[in-house]
Amino acid sequence: MRNLSELRVPIGLRREFRDGERDQTYPLWVSPAFRGPRMTRIGLVLIAAVALLGLLLSWLAHLLSIWALLFFLGELLVALLTLSVSFTEWFVSNWEAFALGNAFAVILGITLVGTVLGTLAGGILGLLLLEVGSSAFLPWSPHRQLWLNAATIAGLAVFTVVWPRADPVLPLYWLTILAGAVISQVACTTLYQYRSELERHIQTVLRGRKALAAEVREHQNAIAELKQTQTELVQRSEEALAAARAKSEFLSTMSHEIRTPLNSVLGMAELLGDAELKADERRYLEIIRHSGAMLLELINSILDLARLESGRLEIEPREFALCRTIEEVLEAFTFAVREKSLELVTQFAPGLPERVIGDSLRLRQVLMNLVGNAVKFTAQGRITVAVEQVPGFQSQRFRFSVADTGTGIPPDKRALIFEPFTQADSSNTREYGGTGLGLAIVARLVKEMGGEITVASEVGKGSTFVFTVHLEAASSRHEPVSRPEPQEHPRLERQLRLLIADDVAVNRVLIRAMLRHLPFEIDEVESGSQAIEKVIASKYDAVLMDMQMPAQDGYEATSAIRKWEREHGANHVPIIALTASALDTDVERARNAGCDAHLSKPFRREDLLRALDYHLAS
Ligand code: ADP
């Protein structure tokens, strides 16, 4: 606890003292020093003023006696002296002794003057004021007050002894002074205790304030650290976003570059399949087609993953037939299942809505992957695909499960298989192929569709993948069940004029070869500007337009053709965009430029024929 005397520092309106680390200034009324020079000075002035008033009255009462006047002037001098001394540095640490000495001098003076005049009638008022006033206005300790009262009584005793012809009112003097002494002593002690108590409270508040200041400083430091961390995090997330964007751009460029030659490889292999081949040659061709197809699957998977990770893959909800869609997925595995003598079972829970709203393409993708894996990793037994609606009021959650009796997945690998490029057993790649991307994409797609996926498995007994997705039951009960894919294209069996615009000769050869059985008259150009010239000069039934061409590309050429058609009231020629990029943005761009359809390289002959058939007919 701070020693009070330390706090009695230079006089002023504000007191300064050290508070913790810093020098603090507090206004007087919160100062812990309740006693001290300033209070003392005010007290002394008050006492002196009242005492002088009493003495002045006493002088007048004694009919303007010269003795009393001298005494009054003397006291006035002492009061002025005390006031001026109270402004000195010295006074700060010696005021109690000074005030007491002063009071002694006054008591002595009053006693002497009283003794000479033979009466204390005038002085007794001054003595009383000194006793009571000092206890009330001087913030000093009770023992100083005791000294003062003792001196007053001693003065009265001296007067009583020295003046043998006792003043007739002497007993009254004694009564007054003794009463004054008792009252002042009690007042001084009580006030002193009250001040001490108050000081203790103020000290407690100050300590609390100091602790609070330390706490505030700590919080400020913590806030500064948090701000720093936040800045770093923002910077890192910006870096990560930039890296993700760069990665995604790199992947789409790579995909484009790989798709272009792959288009020729797969296209030519498909055409070669129509030719008369020896058994060996056909086997080699199958290997080329299989490897090409795997490469294409890999590129598509990587692109999907990049889109999912950069948040660019959007779920497109449409109405579709739920059970029919699942059956179509399973139909794709009929051959593989039959070859491995597996049993493929579907279990549709009762009460499933016939039609639902959701992204059927993505749901297909998830099921294709899970059923594909089940078929891949099961040598014997059965694969069961079950669907049910999760119970609950107006539930829009559907639970799908794909269970197999295959190799199973070791417990330590179960969480890993949902990470990209991870396989439970790396020897799988040699035995079954695969990239380790499928389940990573599945997990992300399921999440995008508002659900989650889990796996339960026992090595040697099989695995069960369970996932939920959010699907809304469609209100309408009839977007017809999927259109049967036309395998024959009778509408193309006529003399049609076609323009192929592609800067790569191999691609032109490939398209021409794909259409060789049809009675088409085909023209070829190598650039966008040539395509515009040709379309303006002669009438075509359709244009196959490569979008990436040097100088004037397919987008510009298509826009120019559409503009010319509008300006000249010419017929709308169907333009089918050919791109090696599979990004949705490119499809959108082609549509905006005026293309009627879009084929992503590599495309199969069937894709090309279907697109032509559809657009020529419409
Ligand atoms: P991949 O293309 O390699 O199959 P996936 O991501 O689809 O990639 O699967 C990752 C790995 O998880 C697989 O390589 C396999 O080890 C394991 N796995 C997935 N499904 C099954 C299953 N039904 N039975 C056994 N193992 C499976």
Side-chain angles (χ1 to χ4, degrees):
M1 185 159 181
R2 204 185 301 273
N3 187 330
L4 282 184
S5 60
E6 276 174 37
L7 302 171
R8 276 190 263 135
V9 281
I11 305 156
L13 281 177
R14 289 175 159 260
R15 287 161 194 280
E16 291 181 11
F17 56 92
R18 281 186 75 74
D19 178 7
E21 303 289 294
R22 286 179 279 181
D23 280 326
Q24 289 279 11
T25 312
Y26 293 95
L28 181 72
W29 56 88
V30 296
S31 164
F34 259 82
R35 53 185 192 158
R38 189 163 182 269
M39 286 279 291
T40 312
R41 193 195 315 151
I42 296 168
L44 284 175
V45 168
L46 280 171
I47 295 165
V50 178
L52 284 173
L53 188 70
L55 284 167
L56 186 62
L57 290 174
S58 146
W59 173 52
L60 289 172
H62 284 86
L63 300 171
L64 309 171
S65 96
I66 191 77
W67 279 103
L69 177 64
L70 281 176
F71 181 68
F72 171 70
L73 289 176
E75 276 308 303
L76 183 62
L77 212 66
V78 171
L80 290 175
L81 189 75
T82 306
L83 190 63
S84 55
V85 167
S86 76
F87 283 96
T88 63
E89 284 285 322
W90 171 86
F91 180 78
V92 173
S93 44
N94 300 291
W95 71 270
E96 274 182 305
F98 178 75
L100 200 59
N102 234 5
F104 285 165
V106 173
I107 292 166
L108 193 64
I110 290 175
T111 310
L112 283 177
V113 172
T115 308
V116 171
L117 290 179
T119 174
L120 272 178
I124 209 77
L125 184 62
L127 284 172
L128 199 63
L129 286 170
L130 209 62
E131 269 183 344
V132 179
S134 57
S135 75
F137 297 115
L138 291 184
W140 65 10
S141 50
H143 79 272
R144 304 274 181 197
Q145 184 69 26
L146 199 65
W147 277 110
L148 179 77
N149 289 338
T152 313
I153 292 165
L156 189 58
V158 168
F159 174 82
T160 310
V161 171
V162 172
W163 191 248
R165 286 177 292 112
D167 192 314
V169 287
L170 200 60
L172 200 63
Y173 293 167
W174 274 103
L175 205 65
T176 309
I177 288 302
L178 284 177
V182 170
I183 291 168
S184 66
Q185 196 61 45
V186 170
C188 178
T189 311
T190 314
L191 280 175
Y192 186 78
Q193 278 171 357
Y194 164 73
R195 283 194 197 101
S196 306
E197 181 76 2
L198 211 58
E199 269 186 29
R200 266 199 298 281
H201 283 309
I202 288 173
Q203 287 297 336
T204 313
V205 170
L206 281 178
R207 268 202 306 279
R209 187 190 160 120
K210 200 171 147 188
L212 205 65
E215 220 171 285
V216 167
R217 265 199 298 281
E218 249 174 52
H219 283 302
Q220 278 170 341
N221 289 345
I223 288 171
E225 266 175 39
L226 274 177
K227 277 191 181 159
Q228 172 75 18
T229 316
Q230 190 190 20
T231 317
E232 279 173 21
L233 279 178
V234 168
Q235 197 180 334
R236 274 190 214 155
S237 87
E238 274 168 10
E239 281 170 12
L241 274 179
R245 269 196 296 273
K247 187 170 103 179
S248 163
E249 270 162 32
F250 169 77
L251 285 173
S252 74
T253 313
M254 281 303 293
S255 134
H256 175 262
E257 295 306 316
I258 297 170
R259 270 162 198 276
T260 307
L262 199 58
N263 185 41
S264 312
V265 173
L266 286 176
M268 290 301 181
E270 191 183 357
L271 292 177
L272 214 55
D274 293 347
E276 294 255 325
L277 295 175
K278 289 184 205 148
D280 276 359
E281 289 168 342
R282 191 157 292 282
R283 217 176 59 241
Y284 301 153
L285 183 66
E286 272 317 305
I287 292 171
I288 293 175
R289 285 168 76 161
H290 181 71
S291 305
M294 269 178 43
L295 190 56
L296 184 62
E297 195 190 313
L298 174 67
I299 295 166
N300 286 340
S301 296
I302 291 177
L303 262 187
D304 269 354
L305 200 65
R307 278 189 218 147
L308 279 165
E309 284 188 346
S310 62
R312 280 201 277 187
L313 189 137
E314 283 189 8
I315 295 298
E316 292 177 19
R318 281 199 205 101
E319 190 178 321
F320 67 96
L322 180 62
C323 297
R324 179 75 204 117
T325 301
I326 297 165
E327 277 163 0
E328 277 172 14
V329 170
L330 300 187
E331 273 165 23
F333 294 96
T334 320
F335 180 71
V337 165
R338 201 176 301 147
E339 223 180 25
K340 292 178 101 173
S341 307
L342 298 173
E343 207 184 332
L344 188 55
V345 183
T346 48
Q347 291 175 349
F348 295 134
L352 280 182
E354 189 190 328
R355 303 184 68 75
V356 290
I357 300 170
D359 194 329
S360 62
L361 272 183
R362 298 303 171 185
L363 183 64
R364 263 173 212 268
Q365 196 175 344
V366 169
L367 283 168
M368 284 293 258
N369 205 289
L370 295 180
V371 179
N373 277 348
V375 173
K376 196 156 76 171
F377 296 108
T378 306
Q380 58 186 33
R382 65 155 65 170
I383 293 156
T384 313
V385 178
V387 192
E388 61 174 348
Q389 197 161 1
V390 181
F393 182 64
Q394 283 194 337
S395 173
Q396 294 176 331
R397 299 185 77 74
F398 289 76
R399 187 183 292 128
F400 295 74
S401 71
V402 179
D404 65 52
T405 53
T407 57
I409 306 161
D412 57 323
K413 296 284 162 41
R414 269 173 226 160
L416 291 178
I417 54 172
F418 294 107
E419 295 300 318
F421 298 107
T422 331
Q423 291 177 324
D425 175 359
S426 48
S427 62
N428 277 348
T429 323
R430 284 190 294 279
E431 192 178 343
Y432 303 106
T435 57
L437 280 177
L439 287 179
I441 293 170
V442 162
R444 285 162 176 78
L445 281 177
V446 166
K447 198 169 156 218
E448 289 290 317
M449 290 193 280
E452 53 190 25
I453 185 165
T454 54
V455 60
S457 182
E458 205 175 322
V459 176
K461 294 220 165 141
S463 316
T464 304
F465 285 83
V466 178
F467 69 94
T468 53
V469 291
H470 179 98
L471 298 171
E472 274 173 50
S475 48
S476 75
R477 291 254 144 207
H478 37 238
E479 206 181 84
V481 182
S482 66
R483 201 155 42 91
E485 294 185 357
Q487 295 298 319
E488 300 297 320
H489 306 285
R491 276 170 293 201
L492 300 182
E493 302 290 334
R494 55 196 165 119
Q495 187 73 33
L496 293 168
R497 289 202 69 200
L498 206 66
L499 178 68
I500 304 174
D502 199 317
D503 58 316
V504 182
V506 180
N507 288 343
R508 297 198 300 271
V509 172
L510 177 67
I511 295 171
R512 204 180 257 282
M514 282 180 170
L515 303 174
R516 70 185 184 282
H517 297 303
L518 296 163
F520 287 180
E521 190 185 316
I522 299 176
D523 284 343
E524 291 177 25
V525 291
E526 297 172 18
S527 70
S529 50
Q530 287 173 1
I532 301 167
E533 278 172 26
K534 279 279 192 189
V535 171
I536 291 173
S538 41
K539 196 177 170 311
Y540 288 101
D541 293 292
V543 179
L544 294 171
M545 179 84 78
D546 179 36
M547 297 320 258
Q548 279 85 22
M549 287 186 283
Q552 201 161 18
D553 64 18
Y555 301 104
E556 284 175 44
T558 306
S559 299
I561 291 169
R562 293 298 179 225
K563 187 163 174 263
W564 179 83
E565 283 173 350
R566 272 195 305 277
E567 286 170 1
H568 294 81
N571 281 344
H572 178 100
V573 55
I575 301 179
I576 296 169
L578 310 176
T579 64
S581 158
L583 294 183
D584 300 340
T585 45
D586 291 311
V587 179
E588 193 63 29
R589 213 178 138 204
R591 193 164 297 149
N592 289 342
C595 292
D596 298 271
H598 170 268
L599 279 180
S600 181
K601 294 177 190 174
F603 48 83
R604 293 173 305 136
R605 175 165 47 185
E606 182 52 32
D607 300 327
L608 177 62
L609 293 185
R610 205 182 319 147
L612 280 173
D613 182 68
Y614 184 76
H615 286 283
L616 287 176
S618 65

